[in-house]
Amino acid sequence: DAGEDRIVNIGTEITFDGSGSTDDFGIYNYTWILRDPTTVRLYGVRPSHTFNNLGTFQVYLYVWDVAGRQDSDIVNITVVDMTPPVADAGEDIVVSEDTPVTFDGSGSVDNIEIVNYTWTFYDGANVTLTGVKPTYFFKNPGFYVVTLNVTDEAGNWDTDTVNVTVLDTTPPVADAGKDQIVAERTEVSLDGSGSSD
């Protein structure tokens, strides 16, 4: 009796359990055989093994009694990736308007591999960028919170944010209005409404 089928996370050490095996005079030898990816032999009632590859593995248990009689059973171990990645959107950024900003998600990590990097934020409209190091021009001064979502092949995901401060570096344009000729002691209205920024 090799025990119940199991689903385990990759990289987790598991202990098999052959204690349900029986014999009228007692079991003399427990041998477990599996391929992960090469052939592995384990001995004893409860040996342990760490699966470092994804997939479903058939583990064979062979038991012998003192008379040399033998029986076998199979337990299926399904190894999946249940570990989410860790997102790292990089350091906060301060930049002048109309200057290209390159984001950097290369500090993100996963136990196997990250397959998708998605950056989202609002800049007058919803903006979505993809890739480890995408570039974007911020035309409008302001403060932006940019969210990085990283996803691995198993669909596990994590998010992190980076703050972007875009500085206003464009000077205003002054317009004092048209020249005026007036008599002395006349109230003059000045008009700067043509100025812009």
Side-chain angles (χ1 to χ4, degrees):
D1 183 349
E4 298 293 326
D5 293 345
R6 297 164 68 180
I7 298 175
V8 300
N9 191 24
I10 188 170
T12 301
E13 182 181 67
I14 69 165
T15 299
F16 301 108
D17 187 358
S19 63
S21 306
T22 59
D23 182 69
D24 54 348
F25 286 101
I27 295 173
Y28 174 73
N29 180 282
Y30 296 80
T31 298
W32 306 76
I33 299 177
L34 63 124
R35 291 187 62 82
D36 179 29
T38 59
T39 300
V40 176
R41 282 183 168 79
L42 305 169
Y43 302 96
V45 179
R46 293 186 180 90
S48 297
H49 179 72
T50 301
F51 287 90
N52 292 312
N53 297 285
L54 298 173
T56 298
F57 300 86
Q58 287 189 325
V59 182
Y60 295 82
L61 168 63
Y62 296 90
V63 294
W64 285 267
D65 64 15
V66 292
R69 295 182 179 88
Q70 178 259 329
D71 191 32
S72 64
D73 188 28
I74 298 173
V75 60
N76 293 308
I77 306 297
T78 301
V79 182
V80 297
D81 179 13
M82 295 183 280
T83 303
V86 177
D88 183 349
E91 299 293 325
D92 290 347
I93 300 169
V94 178
V95 66
S96 299
E97 59 185 333
D98 296 320
T99 301
V101 173
T102 298
F103 299 104
D104 188 357
S106 62
S108 305
V109 295
D110 185 59
N111 61 327
I112 298 179
E113 181 183 11
I114 295 172
V115 297
N116 183 273
Y117 298 78
T118 301
W119 308 77
T120 55
F121 56 96
Y122 185 82
D123 183 13
N126 291 324
V127 178
T128 300
L129 307 174
T130 58
V132 180
K133 294 182 178 181
T135 298
Y136 183 79
F137 282 83
F138 285 92
K139 296 181 179 180
N140 302 306
F143 180 79
Y144 300 84
V145 178
V146 181
T147 300
L148 168 64
N149 180 300
V150 294
T151 307
D152 66 17
E153 196 166 12
N156 303 306
W157 57 274
D158 187 36
T159 62
D160 188 29
T161 59
V162 58
N163 298 319
V164 180
T165 302
V166 181
L167 303 176
D168 180 2
T169 57
T170 302
V173 177
D175 183 347
K178 295 181 179 180
D179 294 343
Q180 301 182 53
I181 298 174
V182 299
E184 60 182 342
R185 295 188 177 85
T186 300
E187 183 179 67
V188 176
S189 294
L190 303 177
D191 186 1
S193 63
S195 303
S196 61
D197 184 53

